[in-house]
Amino acid sequence: MLPLATAIELIHTASLVHDDILDQSKIRRGVSTANVKYGPQIAVLLGDYLFAKAFQLVAENHYGDEVSLVLSKLVKNLCIGEISQDRSLFQVPSLTKYYDKINLKTAVFLASCCRLGGIVAELNDRETDSLTTYGVNLGLAFQIVDDLLDFFGDSNMTGKALGGDLKSGVITLPVLRALQVSDKSELLREIVTRNNVSDADIIGAIDIIKKSDALDYCKSRAYAHIAAAIINLPPSISESTNFMLDKIADFVVNRNW
């Protein structure tokens, strides 16, 4: 399992390096991003190197065509997700479009991790599909909580300034909920669809979102996905594995970073 797990983490890191270039992010996990430290040209090559190293590990350890296919589709879908997000900046998506985006951006990744574990552990098709469904719901919950932390988190814990998504033109679930229920929804809509958002705009938007029920609404959706994740854990997996996957699910919805 270890070389494959390493390959997956390299793919994840590569996607973050490229993501930081696209978003012109300065901080990742509390430290300077690669594009800030080395410039975007070197950062692009660094991300490419990590992708190549990941697939080298998979090839060297002879995991087979099925594993390679899952990983190839994963990288393809990550790219589709980023392209889709870039083309919809400063536009208010429908709830369906929002879910499509976070599925490609996050849920597909965790679903692929779980599916690969099932394949290498030689679970049957039904068990592998169940584990994959666990991963999908875990990923959806993770991204919803991530979107919440962009407005309700502690920047000292998250390593990112509040309202970073709004600054980049990315409109997420807390915004969609506030647009639906706030008596200042028109003002919020005008702010979030503005191509040049000032710091004062972001402060104002965050205030509107915090005064709505966006926090409770998004948490309830995240918890519903976690419940769906846990119920799909295959009964045949060991008690210790089940316990750890349950703990991971609990962490995803209760984290503060």
Side-chain angles (χ1 to χ4, degrees), residues 149-152 160-169 197 202 206:
L149 290 173
D150 192 51
F151 299 107
F152 296 92
K160 298 184 290 185
L162 293 182
D165 285 337
L166 284 187
K167 191 83 170 176
S168 302
V197 188
I202 290 175
I206 291 174

Side-chain angles (χ1 to χ4, degrees), residues 24-44:
Q24 298 181 12
S25 300
K26 296 181 179 181
I27 299 293
R28 169 72 68 176
R29 297 173 180 167
V31 298
S32 297
T33 56
N35 51 302
V36 167
K37 291 185 72 173
Y38 309 114
Q41 294 89 347
I42 296 298
V44 168

Side-chain angles (χ1 to χ4, degrees), residues 62-100:
H62 310 289
Y63 283 107
D65 292 343
E66 190 175 7
V67 167
S68 295
L69 184 61
V70 170
L71 287 174
S72 299
K73 286 183 176 179
L74 167 60
V75 174
K76 179 195 73 174
N77 284 322
L78 289 174
C79 292
I80 291 172
E82 285 295 340
I83 292 169
S84 175
Q85 178 172 285
D86 184 72
R87 299 191 68 177
S88 62
L89 296 178
F90 301 101
Q91 298 175 30
V92 178
S94 65
L95 185 61
T96 299
K97 288 289 187 183
Y98 167 78
Y99 265 97
D100 287 344

Side-chain angles (χ1 to χ4, degrees), residues 6 9 15 30 45 48 50 71 84 98 123 133 146 158 165 172 179 189 202 206 210 233 237 241 245 247 252:
T6 303
E9 186 54 34
S15 73
L45 293 173
D48 292 346
L50 294 171
L71 287 174
S84 175
Y98 167 78
L123 300 183
T133 302
D146 217 48
T158 63
D165 285 337
T172 57
L179 286 172
R189 182 180 295 272
I202 290 175
I206 291 174
K210 285 185 173 181
L233 285 173
I237 63 177
T241 301
L245 292 175
K247 294 290 286 184
V252 160

Side-chain angles (χ1 to χ4, degrees), residues 45-209:
L45 293 173
L46 173 60
D48 292 346
Y49 172 85
L50 294 171
F51 277 127
K53 183 63 179 178
F55 282 95
Q56 179 186 344
L57 279 172
V58 172
E60 287 174 346
N61 288 276
H62 310 289
Y63 283 107
D65 292 343
E66 190 175 7
V67 167
S68 295
L69 184 61
V70 170
L71 287 174
S72 299
K73 286 183 176 179
L74 167 60
V75 174
K76 179 195 73 174
N77 284 322
L78 289 174
C79 292
I80 291 172
E82 285 295 340
I83 292 169
S84 175
Q85 178 172 285
D86 184 72
R87 299 191 68 177
S88 62
L89 296 178
F90 301 101
Q91 298 175 30
V92 178
S94 65
L95 185 61
T96 299
K97 288 289 187 183
Y98 167 78
Y99 265 97
D100 287 344
K101 183 189 74 174
I102 67 171
N103 180 58
L104 288 168
K105 185 177 178 180
T106 306
V108 164
F109 187 91
L110 290 177
S112 298
C113 293
C114 293
R115 186 163 201 85
L116 290 168
I119 292 168
V120 177
E122 298 181 343
L123 300 183
N124 63 42
D125 289 345
R126 184 176 179 180
E127 292 170 325
T128 301
D129 288 343
S130 293
L131 202 56
T132 303
T133 302
Y134 164 89
V136 168
N137 281 285
L138 188 75
L140 294 174
F142 184 96
Q143 190 58 53
I144 289 171
V145 172
D146 217 48
D147 293 342
L148 270 178
L149 290 173
D150 192 51
F151 299 107
F152 296 92
D154 180 346
S155 56
N156 291 321
M157 295 293 294
T158 63
K160 298 184 290 185
L162 293 182
D165 285 337
L166 284 187
K167 191 83 170 176
S168 302
V170 178
I171 297 174
T172 57
L173 190 58
V175 180
L176 295 182
R177 180 59 178 175
L179 286 172
Q180 186 179 41
V181 301
S182 174
D183 59 1
K184 294 185 178 180
S185 61
E186 288 306 311
L187 174 59
L188 179 61
R189 182 180 295 272
E190 197 277 326
I191 291 172
V192 301
T193 56
R194 206 181 285 165
N195 283 343
N196 189 13
V197 188
S198 69
D199 290 340
D201 290 334
I202 290 175
I203 292 170
I206 291 174
D207 184 62
I208 294 170
I209 292 163

